[in-house]
Amino acid sequence: MEAFQNFFNPTFQNFNLETLLHNSYYMLQTVGIMDVVDILIVAYIIYRLMKLLKDTSAARLAKGVIWLLLIFLVASVAGLTTISFILQTSLGIGVTAAIVIFQPELRRLLEQLGKGNLSGLLTSANDPDAAEAAIDATVKACADMSRTKTGVLIVFERKERLGEIIATGTMVDAEPSAELLKNIFFKNSPLHDGALIMRDGRICAAGCVLPLSGNQNLSRDLGTRHRAAVGMSESSDSVLVVVSEETGAISVAIGGMLKRHLSPEILRKVLESELIADDKPDKKGISALRNIWKGGAGK
């Protein structure tokens, strides 16, 4: 207990402010240009990695790991032997756990390295031109499939990666076009029943399985496709576009909210607001749509 008190005691026996300032000044004098460059490069790499993990499930898990490390540090200083032993044993398998937890992010990192695209690790992957092309293809395809009452379920991935969802479908990796989208969702196509995932302005996968929403307030006339769209929007920051197979109505699900009976023009505005303006400094996010979407899900 004495060690714990000393750890939080502001007047350490060996603490000397004058010595600390003197040593810090001496260290600053010995810092060279290459040391500064080295520190800046490492700091930027850490910043990019933190931004890569931001708003993902891996980021939330990383916070939990950090809390465990802090608890382990405090337990060690306080002399809590049992807790320290349990945490130390658990952290022993931390490397294996990290590989499993951060599998989507590590896979993306290795894919970039394999392609020789190192700049992709240090710059944002979002391309406004690619997003605009994907939106244009989606709006045109949905307008045509709305008239023919062809069922559609498209997921636009944003910051939170959907590696687990993509793994349930078939990899496509193609540039989006209205014709390709209509072929995928054609009633006799083997992939028409699942969801299509858009990643970074490209068709990533099709025929994917989405989680259903457990929201009891959704309209009872909504089918599985709409409930899957709402469920996916509840568990991620994705934007989902749905075309009803029964009525041909176009809907969009964001943040657990579903707005139905959208015209192609309104669909374009919503997608541009969420997928292109999302990276601008004056972004408004989901809250900007709530003024348009009054009434909540299912209306």
Side-chain angles (χ1 to χ4, degrees):
M1 193 64 187
E2 183 179 352
F4 183 76
Q5 291 175 344
N6 290 334
F7 181 76
F8 289 100
N9 191 346
T11 57
F12 297 101
Q13 273 186 336
N14 299 326
F15 179 78
N16 190 309
L17 181 60
E18 183 179 354
T19 303
L20 177 63
L21 292 176
H22 176 75
N23 292 338
S24 301
Y25 178 72
Y26 176 77
M27 290 177 63
L28 288 175
Q29 285 183 320
T30 60
V31 173
I33 296 178
M34 295 308 298
D35 296 322
V36 175
V37 173
D38 187 22
I39 293 172
L40 291 177
I41 292 175
V42 173
Y44 185 70
I45 291 175
I46 293 175
Y47 165 74
R48 294 306 309 183
L49 290 175
M50 291 176 63
K51 194 169 183 181
L52 181 67
L53 295 176
K54 183 181 177 182
D55 296 328
T56 65
S57 57
R60 294 189 289 271
L61 291 171
K63 292 178 183 177
V65 172
I66 292 174
W67 273 110
L68 287 177
L69 291 174
L70 291 176
I71 294 172
F72 173 71
L73 176 62
V74 173
S76 300
V77 174
L80 302 176
T81 309
T82 304
I83 296 178
S84 299
F85 174 76
I86 294 174
L87 291 177
Q88 186 176 9
T89 304
S90 301
L91 293 174
I93 58 173
V95 175
T96 304
I99 294 175
V100 175
I101 292 172
F102 299 110
Q103 185 269 339
E105 287 72 22
L106 291 173
R107 180 175 178 177
R108 180 186 175 191
L109 173 66
L110 294 175
E111 285 177 351
Q112 294 289 343
L113 291 174
K115 294 177 182 178
N117 186 16
L118 297 179
S119 61
L121 300 176
L122 303 178
T123 58
S124 175
N126 294 329
D127 184 357
D129 293 335
E132 182 66 38
I135 291 171
D136 186 62
T138 300
V139 172
K140 290 180 180 178
C142 288
D144 292 340
M145 289 186 284
S146 175
R147 288 190 290 268
T148 59
K149 295 183 179 181
T150 302
V152 175
L153 180 53
I154 300 176
V155 183
F156 284 90
E157 182 188 70
R158 292 204 280 185
K159 293 180 180 179
E160 186 168 347
R161 294 284 158 168
L162 307 176
E164 295 180 358
I165 300 298
I166 292 173
T168 64
T170 301
M171 297 299 297
V172 178
D173 190 21
E175 292 185 4
S177 66
E179 292 73 18
L180 179 57
L181 292 176
K182 287 189 287 186
N183 282 332
I184 290 175
F185 288 107
F186 181 65
K187 293 182 180 179
N188 293 330
S189 168
L191 301 177
H192 80 281
D193 271 338
L196 182 145
I197 311 295
M198 290 276 194
R199 169 181 284 182
D200 299 332
R202 292 179 63 84
I203 300 175
C204 181
C208 300
V209 180
L210 305 184
L212 298 179
S213 173
N215 188 353
Q216 300 297 325
N217 296 322
L218 292 175
S219 299
R220 293 188 176 182
D221 61 334
L222 292 177
T224 304
R225 189 175 282 108
H226 290 81
R227 293 184 180 275
V230 176
M232 190 73 250
S233 69
E234 289 172 341
S235 59
S236 71
D237 64 346
S238 304
V239 178
L240 294 98
V241 178
V242 187
V243 176
S244 173
E245 196 171 9
E246 289 75 24
T247 64
I250 301 174
S251 306
V252 172
I254 305 175
M257 297 186 299
L258 180 69
K259 183 60 180 180
R260 305 168 65 187
H261 306 293
L262 300 180
S263 66
E265 292 76 18
I266 296 298
L267 173 62
R268 182 184 297 276
K269 291 181 180 179
V270 171
L271 293 180
E272 288 177 348
S273 174
E274 290 296 322
L275 302 176
I276 297 179
D278 184 62
D279 293 327
K280 294 181 180 179
D282 59 341
K283 63 178 181 180
K284 298 180 181 179
I286 297 173
S287 59
L289 294 177
R290 287 179 178 166
N291 294 329
I292 304 174
W293 295 8
K294 290 180 179 179
K299 292 191 177 181

